[in-house]
Structure formats: C-alpha cells, structure tokens
Amino acid sequence: MSRPGLFVSFEGIDGSGKSTQARMLADRLRTEGVDVIHTREPGGSPGAEEIRALVLQGDPDRWSAETEILLFTAARRDHLERTIQPALEAGKVVICDRFADSTRMYQGLSRGNLRAKVDALHDLMIGVEPDLTLLIDMDPETGLSRAKARNTVEERFEDFGASLQEAMRAGFLALAKEYADRFRVIDGAREADTVAEDVWAAVSPHLT
Ligand code: ADP
Ligand code: TYD
C-alpha cells in the first residue's frame, strides 16, 4: 500500500497506559496543527465496534483462540477499509490503540502457539503494518491493577490473570526485536508526562 500519511500504533499489556499516551499524542499533534485520526482496536469503525462487544464481553472461554483470530481479523479488515486506509491516503496521521501485534500476542500466544495461523490470515486479509509501533512496557502487576481499577464490562482478557499478562509482556518484547525497524520500547512505569516525552521523541522525527 502506498500512503502519504503516518501510521502509528500503541501496543502493550492491559493497563500499561496505551490509551492515555495515544490520547496525549493526538492532542499534542493537533496543537501542532497536524491532521490526526485517533482510533482503536478492536473497533474504530461502526462494524468493528459491533465485533468489539462480541470479543470483549462474556466468559473468558466464550470463543476458541481460532475463532478469535477470525473475529479480530474481520474487525481489523473493516477498520482498515473504512477508517485507516482513507485517512492515510488523505495524508493524515493515524494513531491506533492496538493493531495486529495484539493478535500476534493475545491469540497467537495465550492458548497454544497459533502464531503461524495469525500471520497467515494477516498476510491474506490485512497485509499492512504500522510505520511506527510504540510498545509501552511495564510490569504486569502494576498494569493489571490499573486496568482492574477501571472496572468495565470489557474484562475477558483481563480475567485471564497475571500469568498471561507476564507471557504477553515477554512476547511483546520479543516482537519488538523481531520487528526492530518499526518498534520503539518505552518504559511505562513513570509519570504520564514523562512517558509522553519519550513518545514524542519517537514520533516527531517521522513528521515531515
Ligand atoms: P491501557 O490503554 O494500556 O489499558 P490506560 O491508558 O487506559 O491503559 O491506563 C490504565 C489506567 O492507568 C487509567 O486509569 C489511567 O488513568 C492510568 N494511567 C495511565 N498512565 C499512567 C501513568 N503513567 N501513571 C499512573 N497511572 C496511569
Ligand atoms: P483494549 O481496549 O486496548 O484494552 P486495555 O485498555 O485493557 O489494554 O483491548 C481490549 C482487549 O482486547 C485487550 O485485553 C487485548 C485484547 N485484544 C486481543 O486479544 N486481540 C487483538 O487483536 C486486539 C486488538 C485486542
């Protein structure tokens, strides 16, 4: 895909501060006069938001990992077609709270090694990676207590508990090495403003 815009994703375990940092980055870019779309996964388009409710609410064993790969990828395809791609083609900066790396981790690692299936479906149906991925890294205990404090109905993955979050953290750090050209790892266990400075230092060189 040829694209004049900039595609930035935030990744990390639940409660690491991705949404906070995505919002702060979007605000700062807007202040600088940059045309920004701030979006999230699962969701980010009307159809994908409907799929979001299916995958994030209910029992942790509601879907098999294989079914989840299909649902998250279906949501992503709709989000890409309707929101991300048009914005990039219009030259905008797209800030996305989670993208395909989350499927590589949560569906690819949490219940057996399904990474090859995740990657195959991604290649077939998505085929796009962010220009820059900011991994907000932090210890799962802190992340989980932050996430639980929010007390929402979207707890299917948070209910998997601390051991899964530990595996996710290690997995994300390994992914950052695998895709070293687009990943930047940022220490999330600091004041939000301090984290935001590191985010800005990573993003600003990409703005033309
Ligand atoms: P995520 O999107 O990664 O799940 P959020 O941005 O929603 O994380 O943050 C989870 C919770 O932690 C929120 O209540 C948020 O206000 C709080 N939070 C975010 N960043 C920080 C920080 N740097 N220090 C302390 N609390 C934070
Ligand atoms: P999110 O709303 O970002 O939650 P949080 O703010 O707690 O990080 O994401 C909701 C959950 O969806 C999160 O636990 C991770 C999960 N998820 C997947 O399992 N696969 C995916 O492809 C995506 C995008 C998210």
Side-chain angles (χ1 to χ4, degrees):
M1 183 176 78
S2 84
R3 54 193 195 209
L6 181 70
F7 183 12
V8 180
S9 67
F10 281 85
E11 296 284 358
I13 58 173
D14 297 315
S16 56
K18 298 176 302 299
S19 310
T20 302
Q21 291 303 321
R23 192 175 54 245
M24 290 174 83
L25 175 62
D27 288 348
R28 181 153 182 184
L29 286 166
R30 286 190 186 112
T31 307
E32 307 265 333
V34 177
D35 209 347
V36 179
I37 297 279
H38 177 196
T39 186
R40 66 162 183 190
E41 291 209 345
S45 61
E49 289 289 333
E50 289 192 33
I51 298 174
R52 179 182 177 98
L54 294 177
V55 288
L56 296 192
Q57 297 178 26
D59 288 344
D61 61 358
R62 181 178 185 182
W63 308 109
S64 72
E66 287 82 353
T67 310
E68 275 178 14
I69 296 171
L70 293 165
L71 288 168
F72 278 105
T73 306
R76 182 161 304 125
R77 175 74 200 200
D78 193 60
H79 185 208
L80 192 63
E81 285 176 8
R82 314 235 175 184
T83 305
I84 297 177
Q85 221 143 3
L88 292 175
E89 279 160 17
K92 297 179 185 177
V93 174
V94 174
I95 299 172
C96 194
D97 193 345
R98 298 192 182 278
F99 193 66
D101 296 314
S102 282
T103 316
R104 293 185 173 106
M105 290 299 100
Y106 286 80
Q107 283 65 49
L109 276 189
S110 65
R111 282 155 289 170
N113 185 355
L114 294 180
R115 176 69 193 279
K117 286 194 169 74
V118 172
D119 284 341
L121 199 58
H122 178 83
D123 291 347
L124 193 64
M125 285 297 165
I126 308 296
V128 170
E129 302 294 350
D131 299 303
L132 181 64
T133 298
L134 302 169
L135 172 56
I136 309 298
D137 176 57
M138 73 178 324
D139 79 277
E141 221 170 290
T142 314
L144 205 61
S145 67
R146 283 188 193 174
K148 283 280 183 193
R150 282 183 310 215
N151 202 16
T152 68
V153 292
E154 294 180 343
E155 289 188 344
R156 272 194 67 231
F157 293 91
E158 288 162 18
D159 283 347
F160 279 142
S163 63
L164 175 71
Q165 300 292 346
E166 192 62 70
M168 293 299 111
R169 181 195 198 183
F172 273 123
L173 288 168
L175 211 54
K177 291 208 173 95
E178 187 179 337
Y179 295 103
D181 53 334
R182 70 175 162 89
F183 263 89
R184 298 291 175 275
V185 181
I186 293 176
D187 175 8
R190 299 172 295 164
E191 290 286 322
D193 286 344
T194 313
V195 179
E197 281 309 314
D198 282 5
V199 168
W200 185 253
V203 173
S204 50
H206 291 260
L207 303 169
T208 46

